[in-house]
């Protein structure tokens, strides 16, 4: 029986308030309105940014919400005006839209989209419109996606159509962590062949940055993390060295300077801590080193001495790896299908949506790279 045009009652993990476990609830998902698609989520990853919103963010207004933004699914129905998608299409939702009409989208200089800035980033990381309710209450759609749910409704400018043969329980990770880290190295830092790189933080984002440095032809890739359990995976993905800052009694940038004849050509910060951001910048060669900030935080500021930059260092930021989202996601899925991109290596645990709080605990304890939650059957 077709569900098109009807409200769908289904299961989702609702975050009623900050700092509390998620609660599995029955929710109502309204049909898609103009230019929207309703998607059956098949699989979703849990990313550090979901935890950030739940535990560290300043967005106390953004609750109740359904978190989750790293997923893959199947289009269930489409709203008026949608021509690009059909029910049955395999898709990846994206937290960063690509409307293809605004001045940012039309410029090759950025992957930002004005619609995303207005709706998502400036409005406390919650979608302005929500099609989801629970117990009569409107539920915010975190970054416009809300993938910790069997069904969600998303604007078509934030949905990418992918190869129908792609395994959704794997390529879901391309929806955030993999593009974010890989693209930070390849697109934003523009790592070049023969260079020396340092990646700080070896979660999925940092490991994807390691993979991007390798793909770009870096000669040395130094992986930095305070958790030694991350070292082996970093080497699998291309790191040539692992350094634990806790093993040294001097600042990490001095350790890296000694290892590299004065500093690395490129550093990528994938932790989200301002002290690490400063270390990443100072680890770069003063004459031309490029430091890219990927880790997300809004709770404090990075102190920079002007002389850190004056000799020639560059400090840049990267959101979604600099990929124009709707264009980049299908390309990355194709790279995976062509065996040019590793994704399976990032998945350390598989769970069901009911076990979401266990997945959160694993990430808090640093015991996983990515947990993929199987939400609905394909
Ligand atoms: N120095 C080096 N590594 C550190 C430090 C530190 N001082 N503190 C924490 N780490 C490491 C952790 O041990 C962990 O391996 O950073 C890693 C972070 O990984 P995850 O928690 O798995 O996070 P991930 O999903 O990869 O996201 C990383 O990117 O997109 C952003 O919001 C996201 O800020 C987050 C960052
Ligand atoms: Zn746009």
């Amino acid at each position: 029986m077709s569900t098109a045009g009807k409200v769908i009652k289904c299961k989702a993990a609702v975050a009623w308030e900050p700092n509390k476990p998620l609660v599995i609830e029955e929710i109502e998902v309204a049909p898609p309105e103009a230019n929207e698609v309703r998607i059956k989520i098949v699989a979703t990853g849990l990313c550090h940014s979901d935890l950030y919103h739940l535990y560290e963010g300043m967005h106390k207004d953004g609750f109740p919400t359904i978190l989750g933004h790293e997923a893959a699914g199947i289009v269930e129905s489409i709203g008026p005006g949608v021509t690009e998608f059909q029910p049955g299409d395999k898709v990846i939702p994206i937290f960063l839209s690509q409307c293809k009409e605004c001045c940012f989208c039309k410029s090759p200089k950025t992957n930002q989209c004005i619609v995303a800035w207005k709706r998502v980033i400036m409005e406390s990381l919650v979608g302005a419109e929500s099609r989801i309710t629970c117990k009569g209450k409107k539920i915010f759609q975190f970054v416009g996606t809300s993938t910790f749910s069997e069904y969600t409704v998303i604007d078509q400018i934030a949905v990418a159509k992918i190869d129908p043969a792609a395994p959704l329980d794997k390529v879901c990770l391309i929806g955030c962590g993999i593009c974010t880290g890989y693209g930070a190295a390849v697109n934003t830092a523009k790592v070049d062949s023969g260079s020396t790189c340092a990646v700080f933080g070896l979660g999925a984002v940092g490991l994807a940055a390691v993979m991007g440095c390798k793909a770009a032809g870096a000669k040395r890739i130094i992986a930095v993390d305070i958790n030694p359990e991350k070292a082996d995976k970093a080497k699998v993905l291309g790191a040539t060295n692992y350094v634990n800052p806790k093993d040294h009694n001097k600042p990490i940038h001095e350790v890296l300077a000694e290892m590299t004849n004065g500093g690395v050509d490129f550093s990528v910060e994938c932790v989200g801590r301002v002290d690490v951001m400063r270390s990443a910048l100072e680890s770069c060669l003063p004459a031309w080193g490029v430091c890219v900030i990927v880790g997300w935080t809004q709770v404090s500021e990075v102190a920079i001495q002007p002389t850190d930059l004056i000799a020639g260092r560059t400090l840049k930021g990267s959101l979604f790896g600099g990929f124009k989202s709707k264009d980049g996601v299908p390309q990355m899925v194709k790279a995976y299908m062509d065996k040019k991109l590793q994704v399976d290596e990032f998945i350390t645990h598989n769970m069901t949506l009911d076990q979401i709080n266990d997945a959160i605990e694993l990430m808090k304890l640093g015991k996983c790279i990515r947990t993929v939650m199987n939400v609905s059957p394909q």
Side-chain angles (χ1 to χ4, degrees), residues 102-157:
C102 73
C103 60
F104 288 175
C105 280
K106 283 184 174 159
S107 168
K109 292 181 190 167
T110 181
N111 67 335
Q112 300 303 301
C113 169
I114 286 178
V115 183
W117 276 96
K118 280 199 190 130
R119 266 199 215 160
V120 178
I121 295 167
M122 302 309 274
E123 301 209 14
S124 312
L125 288 166
V126 289
E129 295 285 321
S130 169
R131 303 278 165 254
I132 303 177
T133 54
C134 179
K135 298 178 175 166
K137 286 207 177 77
K138 200 78 163 167
I139 304 292
F140 284 112
Q141 288 191 233
F142 175 63
V143 294
T145 53
S146 286
T147 63
F148 296 163
S149 176
E150 290 175 326
Y151 286 86
T152 187
V153 176
I154 304 181
D155 194 309
Q156 63 174 346
I157 63 172

Side-chain angles (χ1 to χ4, degrees), residues 23-143:
V23 185
I24 302 293
E25 303 276 13
E26 186 181 81
I27 60 160
E28 295 86 41
V29 183
E33 296 192 4
N35 305 314
E36 294 173 348
V37 291
R38 189 160 59 183
I39 298 167
K40 179 173 85 168
I41 298 295
V42 171
T44 182
L46 167 71
C47 169
H48 199 109
S49 312
D50 299 307
L51 261 60
Y52 179 88
H53 186 77
L54 191 60
Y55 295 105
E56 300 157 52
M58 309 287 274
H59 314 303
K60 302 292 183 229
D61 299 335
F63 291 85
T65 184
I66 296 174
L67 300 168
H69 61 281
E70 187 178 78
I74 299 170
V75 173
E76 173 270 339
S77 62
I78 56 174
V82 175
T83 52
E84 189 189 338
F85 298 97
Q86 291 292 326
D89 284 346
K90 289 202 179 165
V91 292
I92 289 184
I94 334 154
F95 64 87
L96 179 63
S97 58
Q98 185 188 352
C99 75
K100 303 194 179 182
E101 284 171 6
C102 73
C103 60
F104 288 175
C105 280
K106 283 184 174 159
S107 168
K109 292 181 190 167
T110 181
N111 67 335
Q112 300 303 301
C113 169
I114 286 178
V115 183
W117 276 96
K118 280 199 190 130
R119 266 199 215 160
V120 178
I121 295 167
M122 302 309 274
E123 301 209 14
S124 312
L125 288 166
V126 289
E129 295 285 321
S130 169
R131 303 278 165 254
I132 303 177
T133 54
C134 179
K135 298 178 175 166
K137 286 207 177 77
K138 200 78 163 167
I139 304 292
F140 284 112
Q141 288 191 233
F142 175 63
V143 294

Side-chain angles (χ1 to χ4, degrees), residues 348-360:
T348 51
H349 299 75
N350 282 280
M351 294 188 181
T352 58
L353 189 60
D354 303 13
Q355 296 168 298
I356 181 95
N357 290 310
D358 298 337
I360 290 174

